[in-house]
Amino acid sequence: STSGSVSISGATDATEEMLLGYDTTTKYGWINCVDQAVNYRNLVLNPSGGNVGIGTVAPPTLLSVTSGAQDTEATAGVLGLASIMGTSSTTRPHLTVVSNSAQAADTGASLGFAGQVTNAVTTSNLLGVIRSYKENAVSGDGDAYMSFVVRQDGTGLAERMRIDSSGNVGIGTTAPSALLDVAGNQALGSAIAVNLSGVLYVNESNVGIGTTNPAYTDVAGVGTILHLESSSFPVLRLVR
């Protein structure tokens, strides 16, 4: 056989065993826990404590995957429960989530976040999801979008924001038509500036066109500053 193994059997049942083996054809080692009369069993590492390291002999977190030099200054409090260490790259992320579904529109990979929402129940609920999906069903077309899904009590999970393949950002819409497309009511902070060479500026209570310091609705400029035109409706109505 191209795969040899060592068996460690249970003390009271020889059909329950852990197998450690090596496949000489494809060159990999393997571990399996099996019940020969039933199926494969779970494999537990360090159930009583300790960390697990891949690529490191000094794992700083419960699970630490390291490529290259170990960050000796890192601590579990900084890194969290698990860590992935490696060199920075513009083409290779530290962690990749992969979907093996056939290509189609709205298919791809996602990352979920869960937590408990009820005092009396310890079951976790999905609270949010980040998705990176294909925009279309065209084979070979890699246009994709990233969406942010969050839970609202009573209505469940729903998409709240999307970044499409053109870089447009949509809030409250799944089809943003501009760099920032907000559907619904909007609340702005102390000031907003539209980057059109200082054409429009809005502060807490005033609007300025051609000025960045409006004391009221202030229009400033040279030449034709404000042009209103309509064939059938009033173009300007002032009500006090």
Side-chain angles (χ1 to χ4, degrees):
S1 171
T2 59
S3 180
S5 63
V6 175
S7 171
I8 303 175
S9 300
T12 58
D13 188 346
T15 64
E16 296 183 8
E17 56 185 343
M18 182 175 72
L19 302 175
L20 293 84
Y22 186 83
D23 190 301
T24 57
T25 301
T26 50
K27 312 299 183 185
Y28 67 89
W30 53 267
I31 302 174
N32 268 333
C33 294
V34 298
D35 185 336
Q36 295 179 7
V38 183
N39 210 327
Y40 293 100
R41 297 299 191 187
N42 296 332
L43 175 64
V44 179
L45 301 178
N46 284 353
S48 301
N51 298 332
V52 175
I54 299 175
T56 175
V57 296
T61 57
L62 289 178
L63 174 61
S64 180
V65 180
T66 302
S67 174
Q70 174 79 40
D71 183 357
T72 57
E73 299 299 322
T75 63
V78 173
L79 298 174
L81 298 178
S83 61
I84 300 176
M85 297 185 187
T87 56
S88 298
S89 171
T90 59
T91 58
R92 297 180 59 189
H94 283 70
L95 176 66
T96 304
V97 182
V98 181
S99 169
N100 58 7
S101 298
Q103 80 84 22
D106 299 316
T107 61
S110 61
L111 182 65
F113 304 86
Q116 298 178 21
V117 299
T118 305
N119 289 334
V121 180
T122 58
T123 302
S124 295
N125 291 86
L126 195 60
L127 302 178
V129 181
I130 299 176
R131 298 170 175 165
S132 185
Y133 285 176
K134 268 180 60 70
E135 286 185 335
N136 56 66
V138 180
S139 178
D141 189 328
D143 282 353
Y145 66 86
M146 179 171 287
S147 66
F148 297 82
V149 176
V150 295
R151 175 180 293 277
Q152 184 179 36
D153 191 40
T155 60
L157 294 168
E159 180 177 323
R160 305 301 182 187
M161 186 172 74
R162 174 178 297 203
I163 305 173
D164 68 13
S165 60
S166 299
N168 292 338
V169 178
I171 300 176
T173 175
T174 60
S177 58
L179 284 177
L180 178 60
D181 190 343
V182 181
N185 295 332
Q186 304 159 39
L188 303 176
S190 60
I192 179 172
V194 179
N195 189 19
L196 297 173
S197 300
V199 173
L200 177 64
Y201 186 89
V202 183
N203 63 21
E204 292 179 349
S205 58
N206 304 316
V207 179
I209 300 176
T211 174
T212 60
N213 188 30
Y216 39 84
T217 300
D218 194 353
V219 180
V222 178
T224 301
I225 299 173
L226 181 63
H227 180 81
L228 305 175
E229 182 177 346
S230 175
S231 60
S232 58
F233 298 100
V235 293
L236 179 64
R237 176 175 293 173
L238 302 176
V239 179
R240 182 177 181 183

